[in-house]
Amino acid sequence: MTLPSAWQKFKDFISPRKQPIRAAAISQTSHATPKNAAGRPSSSNGKREPILVTTKDAISKPRRNMLDIVTKAAGSNWVFVAMMAIMLVWVIFGFVDGTTDTWQIVMQNASSIQVYLTDILLLRQASNASTSLLTTLAELQSRNQTFERLLRQLPSCQWIETHKNPAQKLLKDDKPVESDADDILLTSGSGEISKARYMWNNTCKTVARGLGSIWAYILYWIGIFFWVGIGPLFQFSDTWQLYVNTATAVALTFTSIFLQNIQQQQEDNLEQCLEYVLRVDSEVEWRLREITNDYQPNSVFEIPAPTISWIDRSIDIFADVMGSGVGLLITLIVTIVWIAVGPILEFDDNWWLIIGTFTGLVGFIDGFVLRNVYYRDEKVAEVQFEKIAESDDRLLDLLNIPSSYQTTTKPRKFSTRASAAAGEFCALSSVSVASVGVVFALLATASIMKWSETGQLLCNTPTMIIEGFLLLILIQAHNIANAARGADFQSLLKHRLLLNHYVCELSENSNRSSSPYPHNPDEKSVNTDFYPIDDNDNDIKISVHQIGNRV
């Protein structure tokens, strides 16, 4: 074994490598008399029933700390509504007291701090979502390996594999088994969705599509060029710069809070869909183990860490630091220092601009880092979904079940391609590095101007304009990722429903063939019984054939 060199150790210390994701699905077992959480029998029929597990039980996720709780809460609908109410109060004050420079600077500072904090939470949100998704995909792969091993032990599968017949579609109530997938995805696996939530989700999707379109980009830059055009009328004064800063501050506040909200919605929906998939997987595993009497534990599946350049590793370090408590600590220290120097500067306009300048410059870099991290995480997830699809195809091919459920990609319009191209350009690692160079250039310019009000506004104005555009890019990236995940989960769920149905029939036939009691030959081979659930029983005992109607 070759030991790492001193130089390699130094590089790993400065820029640590990402660790691979390892996970193993919890192995399903059964017992003749199921017991509930209190240890009491949960059913008196003596049947061997499955114990299903949920996502929370099945995935070895790191415990959430306080920052994770705050991150999740910040993406809630209540926080979004509260922030919009605060903005409305600010507008009312402007109408009552007049749109003074102080009124505008207060808004800009508040917006800069809010967007800076939101960027920290978005980095944390992206990290948590990526780790959670990859861990779940690793668990699904772990269980797929078990499925393949168990299925190969079945004589029927061995016969099918060597004597191929035309693939047969599986039907349930004269409909393809997988036809339930669309309804399950619509309700995020919960079985129902309230009218208010349905309307809210649709409204958010419509707004997100509008903000992430090429037309929103064009409208945004038309407004900027109009502001530049009226510069001579105001003699390019500080007031003229304050106008665009205030307008972009309002846009930044809305788009950042909105992005955090729709990202949290997506994460919650995907978590519920994955929980449904894992419940089905758990039931399938239990039935296969009952048939084969194979209780070998599920193996650990590893998703290797992607190979990245030292630039990307440096970007990851920045994202990890800013997306942690360290980022919040830096904010707290800077805020305390800013307040402390207030009396020295007599709380003048320059003092008001200092905090906005700091948060604006750092937030400017955060925007490019976010786009880069989102893009690379999406590529990793895309590769893993493709591998799961290949694994699912092998399982269904083993059962001689057609699995051609790849979603056809419609040709994208020019406007969509243009907005996607802009997003991919902003995701380049070199662009993130260039953003750091821009910040240093602005700092040098402000220093030459002795950090006057004009010098600080020069730091604030271009960074706020570009950051506002970057948030539109991030919303567009969210739209693309959301559409891709929807197609991936649709394929994943359809494969699971097919496998579920087949194994359920196989298990029922196996039980009847081994039963000492005669049965009606005309009786359907699919089990449609429900087992009642005791209110005090935490075990979930549902026939997997009917799970789509109950989950």
Side-chain angles (χ1 to χ4, degrees):
M1 179 179 178
T2 305
L3 296 176
S5 63
W7 172 244
Q8 185 62 49
K9 290 181 179 179
F10 175 75
K11 287 199 302 181
D12 289 342
F13 174 76
I14 298 298
S15 179
R17 301 173 185 270
K18 277 196 171 183
Q19 298 300 315
I21 301 293
R22 297 184 180 89
I26 291 181
S27 303
Q28 298 301 293
T29 59
S30 63
H31 35 74
T33 306
K35 297 182 179 181
N36 59 20
R40 295 178 285 102
S42 58
S43 174
S44 59
N45 55 22
K47 292 184 179 180
R48 297 169 66 86
E49 299 171 358
I51 301 176
L52 300 184
V53 295
T54 64
T55 307
K56 296 177 182 177
D57 301 319
I59 302 177
S60 301
K61 295 181 181 177
R63 289 185 177 181
R64 287 187 172 182
N65 55 30
M66 183 57 66
L67 181 58
D68 295 325
I69 296 174
V70 171
T71 300
K72 186 177 180 65
S76 65
N77 295 338
W78 294 108
V79 171
F80 177 79
V81 172
M83 291 301 300
M84 295 304 101
I86 292 173
M87 286 183 61
L88 180 61
V89 170
W90 170 79
V91 172
I92 293 174
F93 269 107
F95 277 113
V96 174
D97 296 335
T99 56
T100 62
D101 288 355
T102 302
W103 175 78
Q104 295 188 69
I105 291 175
V106 167
M107 175 58 190
Q108 292 170 30
N109 284 345
S111 175
S112 296
I113 295 172
Q114 174 268 315
V115 173
Y116 175 81
L117 294 175
T118 300
D119 285 345
I120 291 176
L121 298 179
L122 283 171
L123 286 168
R124 185 73 174 190
Q125 190 181 55
S127 176
N128 290 345
S130 177
T131 301
S132 177
L133 177 61
L134 292 180
T135 303
T136 305
L137 296 182
E139 184 185 353
L140 290 173
Q141 287 282 45
S142 168
R143 190 164 271 135
N144 268 13
Q145 291 176 342
T146 299
F147 287 167
E148 186 168 356
R149 187 186 76 247
L150 297 177
L151 287 173
R152 289 186 180 278
Q153 298 178 28
L154 302 178
S156 57
C157 290
Q158 296 172 8
W159 184 88
I160 289 175
E161 191 175 25
T162 54
H163 303 82
K164 287 289 186 182
N165 289 329
Q168 300 295 320
K169 279 204 168 188
L170 301 180
L171 302 178
K172 172 186 172 184
D173 299 330
D174 298 326
K175 296 189 302 181
V177 170
E178 68 276 12
S179 62
D180 290 338
D182 295 334
D183 292 336
I184 294 169
L185 286 174
L186 177 64
T187 60
S188 302
S190 62
E192 59 182 9
I193 183 171
S194 66
K195 185 177 181 180
R197 181 184 170 190
Y198 179 79
M199 293 179 62
W200 176 264
N201 289 348
N202 276 353
T203 301
C204 288
K205 288 179 181 178
T206 302
V207 174
R209 282 195 295 267
L211 292 176
S213 67
I214 189 66
W215 308 114
Y217 301 171
I218 293 173
L219 184 62
Y220 182 85
W221 287 109
I222 286 176
I224 298 301
F225 287 127
F226 174 79
W227 166 75
V228 173
I230 64 174
L233 298 178
F234 292 88
Q235 299 179 351
F236 300 102
S237 62
D238 292 344
T239 301
W240 170 75
Q241 291 193 60
L242 283 174
Y243 285 157
V244 73
N245 283 7
T246 303
T248 51
V250 172
L252 281 168
T253 297
F254 174 78
T255 52
S256 61
I257 294 296
F258 179 71
L259 176 62
Q260 194 170 26
N261 179 263
I262 58 177
Q263 288 277 72
Q264 189 60 53
Q265 285 185 46
Q266 182 193 42
E267 186 177 347
D268 292 342
N269 290 341
L270 293 187
E271 184 177 349
Q272 291 178 24
C273 289
L274 280 171
E275 183 171 336
Y276 179 87
V277 170
L278 288 171
R279 289 160 69 99
V280 176
D281 263 13
S282 301
E283 176 76 13
V284 172
E285 180 189 344
W286 176 82
R287 290 187 179 277
L288 285 174
R289 290 188 184 279
E290 284 285 280
I291 296 172
T292 61
N293 289 320
D294 183 336
Y295 294 98
Q296 179 182 339
N298 295 318
S299 59
V300 175
F301 186 87
E302 177 178 304
I303 298 178
T307 302
I308 58 178
S309 66
W310 68 269
I311 296 178
D312 287 337
R313 288 170 66 183
S314 301
I315 292 174
D316 286 340
I317 290 177
F318 180 86
D320 291 340
V321 170
M322 297 306 297
S324 66
V326 177
L328 294 177
L329 180 61
I330 293 173
T331 307
L332 179 62
I333 293 174
V334 172
T335 303
I336 292 174
V337 172
W338 172 65
I339 294 174
V341 300
I344 300 175
L345 298 178
E346 299 179 350
F347 300 101
D348 59 7
D349 290 343
N350 277 353
W351 175 81
W352 278 102
L353 286 171
I354 288 174
I355 191 67
T357 300
F358 166 77
T359 54
L361 292 176
V362 178
F364 174 73
I365 299 175
D366 285 345
F368 286 101
V369 169
L370 268 169
R371 183 64 192 102
N372 179 271
V373 170
Y374 278 6
Y375 182 78
R376 288 189 287 119
D377 285 348
E378 179 62 21
K379 289 300 180 183
V380 172
E382 184 179 319
V383 170
Q384 295 307 316
F385 270 108
E386 289 176 356
K387 290 184 177 180
I388 285 187
E390 293 173 0
S391 177
D392 288 346
D393 286 341
R394 287 197 303 271
L395 293 176
L396 295 178
D397 184 64
L398 192 62
L399 301 174
N400 201 28
I401 299 173
S403 59
S404 55
Y405 297 111
Q406 299 298 326
T407 304
T408 56
T409 304
K410 297 180 180 179
R412 295 193 296 179
K413 298 179 181 178
F414 170 77
S415 59
T416 305
R417 295 198 304 270
S419 59
E424 291 177 3
F425 173 78
C426 293
L428 295 175
S429 301
S430 56
V431 175
S432 296
V433 175
S435 69
V436 178
V438 170
V439 167
F440 278 109
L442 291 173
L443 289 174
T445 302
S447 298
I448 293 173
M449 302 179 70
K450 299 181 180 180
W451 291 94
S452 63
E453 183 175 345
T454 302
Q456 292 199 65
L457 286 174
L458 284 176
C459 286
N460 285 338
T461 302
T463 54
M464 290 183 71
I465 290 173
I466 296 176
E467 190 175 2
F469 178 66
L470 275 175
L471 283 172
L472 297 180
I473 292 286
L474 289 172
I475 291 176
Q476 179 260 1
H478 163 83
N479 294 339
I480 294 177
N482 197 34
R485 290 294 78 80
D488 290 332
F489 275 106
Q490 186 180 51
S491 176
L492 182 67
L493 186 55
K494 285 182 176 181
H495 288 162
R496 261 51 189 182
L497 291 175
L498 286 169
L499 184 62
N500 173 5
H501 184 86
Y502 179 89
V503 173
C504 185
E505 288 188 330
L506 190 65
S507 175
E508 184 66 19
N509 290 333
S510 175
N511 290 337
R512 284 177 175 160
S513 63
S514 60
S515 174
Y517 303 102
H519 63 273
N520 184 357
D522 296 329
E523 185 180 359
K524 293 183 179 180
S525 62
V526 180
N527 179 21
T528 58
D529 293 336
F530 284 113
Y531 299 125
I533 300 178
D534 188 357
D535 291 338
N536 297 322
D537 189 357
N538 292 327
D539 292 346
I540 302 173
K541 300 173 290 296
I542 306 173
S543 169
V544 77
H545 179 61
Q546 297 285 346
I547 197 170
N549 299 325
R550 296 290 299 273
V551 178

